Amino acid sequence: MTGSDDGQGRAAGLGTAGVAVTLAGVFVNGLAYVVPVLGARHLDPAGLSALATLLALGAIGGVASTGLQIAVAVHRARHGRAATARPTLVTVVVTAALLAVVLPVSAVTLRLTGPAVLLLGVLTVAVVAAGRWLGELQGDQRFLRLAVGMALLAAGRYGGMIAGLALGGGLTGALLAGAVTSVLVLALLVRLNRGAGIDPVSPTLATRTVLTASGATLAMLVVSYADLLLARRFLPPDASGVYAVGTVLTKGALWAPQVVTVIALPRLAKGDRRTLLTALALVGASGAALVLATTVAGGLAFGLAGGSEYTAHGRYAPLFAATGALYALVFVLINARVAASARWPSAPLWAATVAFVGAVATVVPHSVAGIAVAALATAALTAVVTGALTIRPETDSASTSTRPAPTVSSVGHDTLRGG
């Protein structure tokens, strides 16, 4: 095979993998959306409120799963197929211990039932454990299998709850079904990851790396949701409703190009600067397209996000889309910093959150436009600061000099097939 043919085959393989991961992401988000929609039809208002609260708690607890996946993927891409059982066990045990403390308190303060929080704990622990096998598939660049794994986990995490609601099991029945299917999916993920193998001479993944990746994921979640929470706190109900619809556009612009980061991460772990620049260009182009679309058809965008009664507020659409587009760039940069073993990669995000909260509480006008503009300015400043920290030459030389060369096992020809 010629070099040209090899390059074309590699591009085709990555293109297929990108489509597969994108479809898996759509499937995951689709099932996550169906749960509250179905809950609204099968639960009374109190039950629906409890379901929404439990889903939010589960999303926060699931940060450890994403952190574990990122850490495992980076480590395997950099060091080959190292053992990951011990850091996975530590992550699961720590998560379970934290849930054992937090969930009972939440049950009392948020008026949730004991069985509901217990089942949520089981479901969340299973989701966290799944991060190991998804990370191994991602780090080995077996993207087609990663897409299947993402779909399987979503089917277990959300599909079980959907089935429980549809069959009339109520809140507890839905959580029971979700917990059982989530645990069962772990066996399928182990099976899906067959043939991965372990290199006994590869260095073990440090638990600190998992904590760093989890902290970065949590910071990204907090900074991107801070404006929604502050809008609910400072705006009147009608205006906060408009803002909530706008944040649907923010999240769409943030997560639409997520597949780029998923595929780029293993190469970022090897210090591939070209991959970083390509990822930023692709994510930037996606964001620019969405901002342009919302500028031209803001009313339509707001109508699709919240219904026809919100189309009159379309003038705000570009602000929300631009904020999400900038945070999508920040997401790439933060993942690159985690992949480069940077110290405190999430520091700019926490600093931005504190500054944003302080500004909204003191000087920002309490209106939809005021908070939206402040959120956009915060996202822009965060992107600039994070970009400067990521791209500066001294970081490159420091991280590259300490990065071991990847082993052959992590870059075999099977990775292009995703299998």
Side-chain angles (χ1 to χ4, degrees):
M1 179 180 293
T2 67
S4 175
D5 291 339
D6 183 66
Q8 292 175 358
R10 188 175 185 84
L14 289 176
T16 302
V19 171
V21 174
T22 299
L23 292 176
V26 171
F27 180 72
V28 171
N29 292 326
L31 287 186
Y33 177 77
V34 168
V35 173
V37 170
L38 201 60
R41 289 160 174 75
H42 290 271
L43 300 174
D44 59 24
L48 178 60
S49 177
L51 175 63
T53 302
L54 288 164
L55 289 174
L57 292 174
I60 295 172
V63 164
S65 177
T66 305
L68 179 62
Q69 178 181 340
I70 292 173
V72 169
V74 168
H75 192 77
R76 286 179 76 92
R78 186 182 300 169
H79 299 291
R81 295 177 174 178
T84 56
R86 181 177 178 182
T88 300
L89 179 61
V90 172
T91 303
V92 168
V93 170
V94 170
T95 301
L98 291 174
L99 291 174
V101 174
V102 172
L103 289 182
V105 176
S106 300
V108 174
T109 58
L110 301 175
R111 300 187 300 279
L112 302 171
T113 65
V117 296
L118 176 62
L119 292 170
L120 176 69
V122 174
L123 187 156
T124 303
V125 168
V127 170
V128 170
R132 169 194 175 181
W133 290 284
L134 296 181
E136 290 182 352
L137 292 171
Q138 184 180 2
D140 292 344
Q141 300 185 61
R142 306 171 83 184
F143 293 120
L144 296 184
R145 293 198 180 199
L146 173 63
V148 174
M150 292 167 59
L152 286 173
L153 181 59
R157 184 179 187 178
Y158 300 117
M161 297 179 69
I162 291 171
L165 289 169
L167 294 174
L171 179 61
T172 302
L175 288 168
L176 175 61
V180 171
T181 51
S182 295
V183 172
L184 292 177
V185 160
L186 295 180
L188 297 178
L189 292 179
V190 173
R191 176 66 177 170
L192 187 67
N193 208 22
R194 68 186 184 277
I198 295 176
D199 184 356
V201 301
S202 295
T204 302
L205 171 64
T207 304
R208 179 180 59 82
T209 305
V210 180
L211 294 175
T212 299
S214 298
T217 304
L218 178 61
M220 195 70 225
L221 186 69
V222 170
V223 74
S224 62
Y225 275 96
D227 62 328
L228 175 62
L229 300 176
L230 291 174
R232 181 171 177 81
R233 168 67 179 82
F234 290 109
L235 298 183
D238 289 346
S240 65
V242 172
Y243 203 96
V245 173
T247 58
V248 174
L249 304 181
T250 301
K251 298 305 175 289
L254 170 58
W255 298 117
Q258 183 183 15
V259 60
V260 175
T261 307
V262 171
I263 293 179
L265 185 63
R267 298 188 181 189
L268 294 177
K270 300 171 187 175
D272 190 334
R273 180 49 54 92
R274 182 177 180 181
T275 294
L276 173 60
L277 296 178
T278 301
L280 290 173
L282 291 173
V283 172
S286 171
L290 290 173
V291 172
L292 177 61
T294 54
T295 301
V296 174
L300 176 61
F302 253 70
L304 292 174
S308 58
E309 63 270 28
Y310 291 98
T311 56
H313 303 286
R315 62 188 181 279
Y316 300 126
L319 293 175
F320 290 101
T323 300
L326 286 168
Y327 277 132
L329 291 172
V330 172
F331 188 70
V332 175
L333 293 166
I334 289 296
N335 274 268
R337 298 200 74 211
V338 171
S341 299
R343 297 189 63 185
W344 309 107
S346 59
L349 302 183
W350 292 118
T353 302
V354 172
F356 176 66
V357 171
V360 172
T362 56
V363 298
V364 171
H366 291 166
S367 64
V368 173
I371 297 179
V373 169
L376 176 59
T378 302
L381 183 60
T382 305
V384 170
V385 172
T386 308
L389 292 173
T390 305
I391 298 173
R392 60 182 182 178
E394 54 268 31
T395 299
D396 299 343
S397 59
S399 59
T400 304
S401 63
T402 59
R403 182 179 296 120
T407 62
V408 175
S409 61
S410 66
V411 291
H413 292 295
D414 64 322
T415 61
L416 291 181
R417 300 193 301 269

